[in-house]
Amino acid sequence: MTLEIAVAAALFVGVLAYALFAGADFGSGFFDLTAGGPSRGAEMRSLVDHSIGPVWEANHVWLIFCLVTWWTGFPRSFAAMTTTLFIPLALALAGIVLRGAAFAFRKYAPSLGQARLYGAVFAGSSLVTPFFLGTVAGAIASGRVPAEGYGDRWSSWLNPVSLFGGVIAVGTCAFLAGTFLCADAERTGHGGLIDTLRRRTLGVGVITGLVVFAALIPIRQDAPTLARGLERQAAPLIVISAIAGVTTLGLLWRRRFSPARITAVAAVATVISGWGVGQYPWLLVDQVRINDAGGARSTLIGLIIAVGCATVVVLPPLAGLYWFTQSEHLDEADAH
Amino acid sequence: MLPLIAQPAGLLPAREQMAVSLGWHIVLAAFGAAFPAMIFVMHLRGLRGNETCLRLAQRWSKVAAVLFAIGAVSGTVLSFEMGLLWPGLMGRFGDVLGLPFAFEGLSFFTEAIFLGIYLYGWDRLPRWLHLWALVPMMAAGVFGTYCVVSANAWMNMPSGFTLTASGEVVDVHPWRAMFNGRAFLQFAHMWLAAYMLVGFVVAAVYATGMLRGRLDEHHRQGLTVPLVFASVAAILQPVVGHVLGMALGDIQPTKLAAFELATTTEQPAPLRIGGLLIDGQARGYLEIPRWGSFIARGSFNKPVQGLDAFPAQDLPPVNVTHIAFQSMVGIGTLLALAVTVYWVLRWRGHDLIRRRWALRCLVVAGPLAVLALESGWVATEVGRQPWTVFGVLRTVQAAGDNPGLWWMFSGVLVVYLGMTVGALVVLRSMARRWRAGEEELPSPYGPAPEKAATR
Ligand code: HDD
Ligand code: HEM
Ligand code: HEM
């Protein structure tokens, strides 16, 4: 394995973690948005608040990790990406800012009116962000980011593969969030929410699954390199993803929410890994190979060291945070 | 300013946007760097039995939750902007200056994780363990500030690479870039500035309350603890700043000339206070002989190089740099003197906090500290112009060629204005409800979800 591949692998782990953890946070915006009027939706919104409140900032840092690793490890391709995909990146960024700020404001909003305003901004921007990040992924995967940058500002992300990418991103986020919220609702005793959550999650899951398979058609026409990868080295992942997805639906149907979380994560993780493995060895598909994109060797080594430090310093407390917030029981939650 | 080099479409809006978004982020970043330590002291005193302090720590942690959230998103904006606005910098030098950013990411992780634990931990964690969750946050604040300031110090004094004749970047030593000679001092200065900003701003909030007649223990504690932090920082700051400035004559003589409003080289050089450069002439300043040499070079006799010693296309915008620099130094000197007077009098038995005029001064000190910090950055960044990486990469080369940037800049203005208003409205409403005796600030969606569910 070359240094470049090692750094790219670390980068991809960041993408995966962001998609799974921050994805679930984003997806809860969908349930927030569709929770109904202020009194009917109050319980759902409180649940969303409670579930993502302590963790969303930590989950968000994965994105920073990805950006920084990319520009440090593969600087030229980073500039190529930003100059080409300026518009979707700027829109995703707007979503990130609005979501984070509005979420924090809503928690301490003095009146219902203000809370509704912030809540609408939070929920809406939670859907905007994954959509545009999905189009970015689609643009890279379909070979629309030229090595020298400054690709077409519009068609690079307004094309079938990118748009499917955006929709899939939103769908997978909502699916993940729904599964987690079902489990949270069960654990914290919100029996009343479970029916709605379960129904919507099943709906979103079925639709997203269909969209993923429908996307294979434009991918074959429009992104032949990725399509070849998906049919060859990434095929097992796609199959596993399909199985895990269907299993999740089954578990949700039978109200086995706790194990459904695991299979849902597996389904999404394998879809995303399928994309990564499918486009290997390209960093920017058809344009730049990972092995040709690396920056200075000494910097790549430095990055590996940084990633090593992060594994030791960050992962244990991160695991602790999840354990701490997930292991809380009813009586303790009542204490505040 | 730069007639010889064609300006790419992305230049002007990118500069404006960078200035706005960094100027905004830096205020919240200062809270991220300095506030945890103040909460720690409050919380510690609370655990030792002072109920008022415990309540203050609890309230401050809720304020921190709001501030850190918008700090984090505004920092994300910066990460995107490095690529969106300055592709010429990141494409060529990303692997030289990237490493401190990578380590900065590590400290953000730590900060965000322990923030989550701390906020969520009230009444859930054992009391002392809960307090200790603040320590990793403080450590991450220090380390993160070092990292990001080190990237900036590298732009001021580039090191750790070689340029070939054709302009290629080779022989990269990222560690040398990360631990460049300027980084530690610049970090120390920034770190103190953060303590000054947060300390004076928080003290100003409680001073306002006392002016409105709330003269209780709560306000006294809320004013004193941050004021102690701010005072220590304010007294050290001029020393560190002076040392930082002394090397400038060697590292960035053009910046120094602009700071000192020196049109021609003089030996010894006077200190010019105030004044503007009008039609190439310095006008309207107050002159103190020899002190310019002392402040800039550490000796009453050394020369200070003037603007005329450099080609016109290598000079920064002089007036902005000069005014910003002098505002910072002026405010810094004033605040250092003021806190010295305060503590000396207090030591001799006169507590000025009982006087209304002293409280009024404290209320003004908060905004002044913010102004000093912003001015310092404007002096540093504008004074580095026309270079992004001093002597190596011009800002015109760093910028992209994107005609749509004005749109993004307008969007940034609107969103940041909205965030500022939102934050002020929410924070003020929190204070109002606290005063009305509500401690918990429940979600506006009614009772806590658990309670709703169990009833
Ligand atoms: C509360 C804020 C504050 C206060 C009171 C001061 N400074 Fe400052 N100064 C900053 C906040 C700041 C800053 C915003 O944090 C800067 C910008 C870059 C940096 O690292 O620190 C800065 C930069 C900066 C620089 C530029 C370094 C460079 O461009 O390389 C010099 C020479 C000084 N300062 C000197 C001083 C002196 C002599 C002060 C005496 C009172 C002083 N500062 C007070
Ligand atoms: C002197 C300048 C700066 C200082 C001292 C500083 C410091 C900080 C601190 C302490 C935080 C944590 C805020 C919090 O979560 O409470 C923060 C957030 C952040 N800063 Fe800055 N910053 C500076 C400039 C920059 C620049 C230039 C960048 C861009 C590359 C940047 C990127 C970020 C990011 C991405 C975050 C959010 C991390 C998160 O999600 O928590 N900062 N900054
Ligand atoms: C450590 C953190 C910082 C880093 C890494 C950083 C980086 C940069 C970069 C890359 C540019 C664009 C290139 C250039 O114009 O030279 C820039 C410009 C600028 N930055 Fe900073 N910056 C930092 C902190 C700040 C802060 C806190 C402020 C607050 C006011 C600030 C104000 C500005 C301004 C005003 C410009 C535009 C200068 C001009 O074009 O005239 N910077 N900075």
Side-chain angles (χ1 to χ4, degrees), chain A residues 310-323:
Chain A
T311 317
V312 178
V313 176
V314 169
L315 290 191
L318 191 60
L321 175 68
Y322 292 140
W323 177 81

Side-chain angles (χ1 to χ4, degrees), chain A residues 161-326:
Chain A
V161 176
S162 287
L163 296 177
F164 265 100
V167 174
I168 291 172
V170 176
T172 48
C173 288
F175 180 56
L176 273 175
T179 321
F180 275 84
L181 286 173
C182 280
D184 277 357
E186 190 178 46
R187 189 167 44 81
T188 50
H190 288 73
L193 288 177
I194 291 180
D195 279 338
T196 324
L197 276 169
R198 172 172 161 272
R199 207 172 48 240
R200 289 195 183 143
T201 310
L202 282 169
V204 168
V206 170
I207 293 173
T208 309
L210 292 177
V211 174
V212 168
F213 283 93
L216 295 177
I217 299 164
I219 287 177
R220 286 187 85 152
Q221 288 173 354
D222 202 24
T225 308
L226 176 67
R228 228 173 300 127
L230 289 177
E231 282 160 15
R232 291 182 198 159
Q233 71 263 32
L237 288 165
I238 302 302
V239 173
I240 296 176
S241 174
I243 296 171
V246 172
T247 314
T248 313
L249 294 177
L251 289 168
L252 285 172
W253 183 255
R254 299 180 46 207
R255 297 175 181 268
R256 304 278 311 280
F257 300 124
S258 207
R261 288 186 295 189
I262 297 167
T263 51
V265 166
V268 176
T270 40
V271 163
I272 295 171
S273 314
W275 158 46
V277 172
Q279 77 164 56
Y280 180 85
W282 297 101
L283 183 63
L284 302 175
V285 171
D286 298 339
Q287 296 286 334
V288 186
R289 286 193 172 77
I290 295 171
N291 274 329
D292 304 330
R297 255 190 91 74
S298 46
T299 306
L300 294 175
I301 296 173
L303 265 180
I304 300 277
I305 294 175
V307 170
C309 293
T311 317
V312 178
V313 176
V314 169
L315 290 191
L318 191 60
L321 175 68
Y322 292 140
W323 177 81
F324 175 43
T325 52
Q326 290 279 315

Side-chain angles (χ1 to χ4, degrees), chain B residues 260-261 270-276 283-288 322 326:
Chain B
E260 302 290 323
L261 201 64
L271 175 64
R272 296 192 183 79
I273 297 179
L276 280 178
R283 289 173 206 258
Y285 53 82
L286 193 82
E287 186 169 293
I288 306 177
H322 173 68
Q326 293 218 321

Side-chain angles (χ1 to χ4, degrees), chain B residues 283-333:
Chain B
R283 289 173 206 258
Y285 53 82
L286 193 82
E287 186 169 293
I288 306 177
R290 286 180 178 268
W291 276 82
S293 286
F294 176 69
I295 286 180
R297 309 291 314 270
S299 130
F300 283 104
N301 281 317
K302 285 196 183 159
V304 171
Q305 274 187 299
L307 295 165
D308 61 0
F310 308 96
Q313 80 266 21
D314 285 350
L315 292 179
V318 176
N319 283 331
V320 176
T321 313
H322 173 68
I323 295 172
F325 179 70
Q326 293 218 321
S327 314
M328 164 182 68
V329 177
I331 295 171
T333 314

Side-chain angles (χ1 to χ4, degrees), chain A residues 57 60-61 64 71, chain B residues 18 22 25-26 28-33 67-69 71-79 82 101 104 108 111-112 115 141 144-145 148-149 190 377:
Chain A
E57 279 192 74
H60 166 77
V61 183
I64 313 293
W71 85 48
Chain B
M18 198 70 188
L22 267 160
H25 173 71
I26 194 71
L28 296 159
F31 273 89
L67 293 180
F68 289 12
V73 294
S74 65
T76 310
V77 172
L78 294 175
S79 300
M82 296 300 277
F101 285 113
E104 191 205 19
F108 290 153
E111 184 145 1
L115 175 71
T145 307
V148 75
V149 171
M190 174 64 222
W377 276 107

Side-chain angles (χ1 to χ4, degrees), chain B residues 371-414:
Chain B
L371 189 65
L373 181 120
E374 298 284 4
S375 317
W377 276 107
V378 169
T380 301
E381 302 288 295
V382 178
R384 190 183 61 233
Q385 303 305 316
W387 305 98
T388 291
V389 183
F390 193 79
V392 176
L393 182 81
R394 283 177 187 272
T395 308
V396 282
Q397 300 167 298
D401 191 10
N402 191 335
L405 270 187
W406 284 113
W407 288 104
M408 187 183 184
F409 180 44
S410 320
V412 163
L413 285 182
V414 173

Side-chain angles (χ1 to χ4, degrees), chain A residues 50 60 82 108 189-190 296 298-299, chain B residues 76 83 95 120 172 433 449-450 453:
Chain A
H50 193 75
H60 166 77
T82 56
Y108 295 114
H190 288 73
S298 46
T299 306
Chain B
T76 310
D95 53 350
Y120 196 71
V172 175
R433 282 179 285 163
E450 301 79 12

